[in-house]
Each structure stands twice: as C-alpha cells, then as structure tokens.
C-alpha cells in the first residue's frame, strides 16, 4: 500500500506523517517513508539528524542516478521504519517533482520499492502542481492534514481537487482528513458537510507534539519516558488501523473557491454574532458581511 500525505505548509504534516509511520510499524508492517520536501527534514524526528538526500548522494556520483543504490539512501529510524529524503533542486531552479521521480526510480529498479508493506510519501506543503503531485502517480490513498482554520481548509480543498484530477488516470482515493493541533472541529465539520469525506482523527492541541519536532524524537519515543503522552500516541494508532483496513475512500468533489470562501467566512461571521448575542443572532455595524468581490 502506498499513501501520500499532504497539507498546508506549517500545519505539522511531517510530524504527523512520522508518527503515523511509527504506528503502522507498531502494527507489524514494514514501512518506508519518503520525504518529498526540498528542505529535507521530513525524517528528522525518527532519525535525530538530517539524513543525506537523493540529491546529495547523486552529487557524489556525478549525478548518475543509475549508480545510486538503496543502501546509499535508505536510513533506518526509530521503530524500525526506513527513511529516504528526496531533497530538491536549488531554490528557483529545477522541479521538485522530477527529484521525486528520480528517488523512486532506483528503488524500483533494485526491487526495494516492492519490499515494503507500506510506503508513505510526505509531500511538500499545499503545492498541488504537476511536480509535487508526482507521488500521486504511485499512491493508493491520499491523506490531508489540516486544522480547524480557514487557510488550512482552503488548502485542503485544493488538495482534494488534485485527487479528483489524478483519479481519472490512477486508482487513487482520498482516505480522509486528519485534523491536527486543535481542540475544536466545528469548521472541519462545516467543510466536510459541504464536501463529503471521512475525518480519520482530530489530534489534540498538545505542546509536547510541537516539542517532539524540536527534540528530534517521535511522539512514540517520547511516550516511553512520558506515559502521559500514551493517549496521544493512541490517536495515531487509530489512524494506522483505519489505513490498514483498506478503506473504500472517496473521490471528492471540491468546492469552487468563491463558494468555499463564502462558506468559511460566513461561518466565522455568524459564530461571532451568535457568541455575542446568546441564542439570538445580533447584528450591528461590525457584523455586516464584507464584500469579498474578486477583481479579475
């Protein structure tokens, strides 16, 4: 099974991806995680250091990708999960999607790509262009990481659109959303009501999750000496169990940008009015909806 994890930049996608990979390994699966972000820090928490990337390794071989072998680029991390970092071209030059393709090529040619039960692609931010959509050429499922906020859900909707686009030529399905770092899910629920898709889990707002990223440790490793984190670890195990159940998934019908903008902004405006007026919606000058006219 191959899973591609996407989400708005800075949403905690890589941290969540690493913990899901560990959870899948805890369920007895052999897992490979491929970091597809040019800043090459997807695998930092389970390894504790920035591992050499495909770009780094190929540079030592004068960019002859055919001379790059799995043992040159695969590093074992915490929990027995294998890790690869694609890396990326210099800023403003080249295509990150090309690097993803060149990462998969030596793994497939050496059959290493087929030795794993689960391959997880951790993909850069909310970029849904052709280059960074390249992992979807291999994926069975896509998971979107979001929070309960406007920007992240707007990005999630564009990511959902790329699932529909790729599903025309590939057997790709959206496994669902994972809400991250939030104590509320009202806006998430509003979105999935309008654009039906599963919500796999909503992860709590816990400072230790953010700290784990800084420490270079997965949540599972931190829970070994901080038992109070076991309940958060169990959230990730639940996500792993749902993935392993091979869900039917969905091909979402994204919401047009203008409709989504109105849906999310109206929700905030009405929530603000209701909170100040009790059960009665009170409208004063501050509550007059803004004119979100888009100038062409």
């Amino acid at each position: 099974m191959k899973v591609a994890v996407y989400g708005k930049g800075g949403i905690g996608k890589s941290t969540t991806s690493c913990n899901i990979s560990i959870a899948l390994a805890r369920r007895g699966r052999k897992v490979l995680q491929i970091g597809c972000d040019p800043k090459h820090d997807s695998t930092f928490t389970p390894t504790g250091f920035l591992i050499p990337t495909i770009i780094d390794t190929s540079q030592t071989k004068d960019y002859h990708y055919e001379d790059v072998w799995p043992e040159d680029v695969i590093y074992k991390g915490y929990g027995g999960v294998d890790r690869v970092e694609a890396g990326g071209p210099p800023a403003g030059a080249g295509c990150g999607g090309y690097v993803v393709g060149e990462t998969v090529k030596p793994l497939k040619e050496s059959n290493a790509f087929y030795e794993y039960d689960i391959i997880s692609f951790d993909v850069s931010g909310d970029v849904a262009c052709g280059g960074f959509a390249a992992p979807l050429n291999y994926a069975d499922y896509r998971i979107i990481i979001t929070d309960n906020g406007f920007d992240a859900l707007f990005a999630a909707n564009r990511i959902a659109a790329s699932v529909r686009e790729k599903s025309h030529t590939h057997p790709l399905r959206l496994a669902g959303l994972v809400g991250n770092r939030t104590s509320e899910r009202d806006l998430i629920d509003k979105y999935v009501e309008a654009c039906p898709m599963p919500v796999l889990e909503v992860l709590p707002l816990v400072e230790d999750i953010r700290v784990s990223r800084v420490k270079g440790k997965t949540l599972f490793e931190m829970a070994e000496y901080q038992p109070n984190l076991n309940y958060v670890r169990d959230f990730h195990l639940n996500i792993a169990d749902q993935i392993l159940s091979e869900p039917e998934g969905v091909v979402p019908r994204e919401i047009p940008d203008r409709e989504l903008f109105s849906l999310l902004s109206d929700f905030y405006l009405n929530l603000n009015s209701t909170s100040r007026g009790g059960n009665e919606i009170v409208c004063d000058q501050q509550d007059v909806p803004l004119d979100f006219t888009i100038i062409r």
Side-chain angles (χ1 to χ4, degrees):
M1 183 186 298
K2 299 168 190 67
V3 180
V5 184
Y6 283 72
K8 178 183 178 297
I11 205 67
K13 174 181 50 59
S14 293
T15 301
T16 304
S17 295
C18 288
N19 286 309
I20 292 174
S21 293
I22 299 296
L24 289 164
R26 289 288 174 93
R27 294 309 194 213
R29 301 312 193 270
K30 186 176 181 181
V31 182
L32 172 68
Q33 180 172 321
I34 301 178
C36 304
D37 192 322
K39 68 179 184 295
H40 60 88
D41 63 345
S42 169
T43 60
F44 176 67
T45 54
T47 56
F49 67 101
L50 295 177
I51 66 175
T53 68
I54 288 283
I55 292 291
D56 295 331
T57 305
S58 64
Q59 187 176 21
T60 65
K61 298 176 183 289
D62 200 26
Y63 294 101
H64 291 290
Y65 285 93
E66 66 275 12
D67 294 333
V68 177
W69 295 92
E71 56 267 27
D72 297 328
V73 294
I74 296 176
Y75 291 77
K76 193 169 294 295
Y78 174 82
V81 177
D82 286 344
R83 314 281 174 167
V84 172
E85 286 284 0
C95 173
Y98 172 79
V99 177
V100 173
E102 293 301 322
T103 298
V104 172
K105 186 186 298 183
L107 298 178
K108 293 182 74 171
E109 289 178 351
S110 65
N111 290 323
F113 198 69
Y114 307 103
E115 294 177 0
Y116 295 90
D117 302 310
I118 306 284
I119 294 178
S120 175
F121 294 92
D122 177 22
V123 191
S124 176
D126 53 350
V127 181
C129 68
F132 283 109
L136 300 183
N137 296 334
Y138 309 100
D140 303 300
Y141 294 108
R142 192 178 202 172
I143 295 174
I144 302 175
I145 310 298
T146 184
D147 62 16
N148 198 51
F150 183 102
D151 291 336
L153 285 169
F154 206 89
N157 189 63
R158 293 186 62 80
I159 295 168
S162 65
V163 173
R164 179 179 57 79
E165 187 65 29
K166 280 289 185 180
S167 70
H168 294 155
T169 54
H170 297 78
L172 173 68
R173 293 294 182 270
L174 176 65
L177 289 179
V178 174
N180 189 37
R181 300 187 308 204
T182 180
S183 56
E184 305 289 343
R185 57 177 291 170
D186 46 8
L187 202 57
I188 292 174
D189 289 339
K190 188 73 174 177
Y191 173 68
V192 299
E193 179 183 342
C195 184
M197 62 182 66
V199 178
L200 301 179
E201 192 58 272
V202 177
L203 304 173
L205 180 62
V206 178
E207 177 67 8
D208 284 304
I209 297 178
R210 188 190 66 81
V211 170
S212 71
R213 180 74 170 168
V214 178
K215 288 184 175 180
K217 297 182 182 297
T218 66
L219 194 63
F220 283 79
E221 187 174 1
M222 290 179 63
E224 292 179 359
Y225 54 88
Q226 292 180 249
N228 61 302
L229 294 178
N230 283 336
Y231 84 99
V232 186
R233 180 201 60 183
D234 291 343
F235 281 108
H236 295 86
L237 289 168
N238 180 42
I239 296 171
D241 290 338
Q242 292 181 72
I243 295 171
L244 293 175
S245 71
E246 298 185 12
E248 183 177 352
V250 297
V251 176
R253 175 66 61 178
E254 75 280 3
I255 307 172
D257 285 352
R258 291 174 177 81
E259 292 181 23
L260 178 62
F261 206 88
S262 295
L263 175 75
L264 299 181
S265 59
D266 287 350
F267 178 85
Y268 275 121
L269 289 170
N270 292 333
L271 181 65
N272 183 50
S273 299
T274 305
S275 65
R276 291 190 289 108
N279 294 325
E280 178 183 357
I281 295 181
V282 177
C283 185
D284 60 21
Q285 194 172 18
Q286 291 181 334
D287 292 315
V288 176
L290 300 176
D291 180 12
F292 292 112
T293 302
I294 297 179
I295 302 174
R296 291 185 177 275

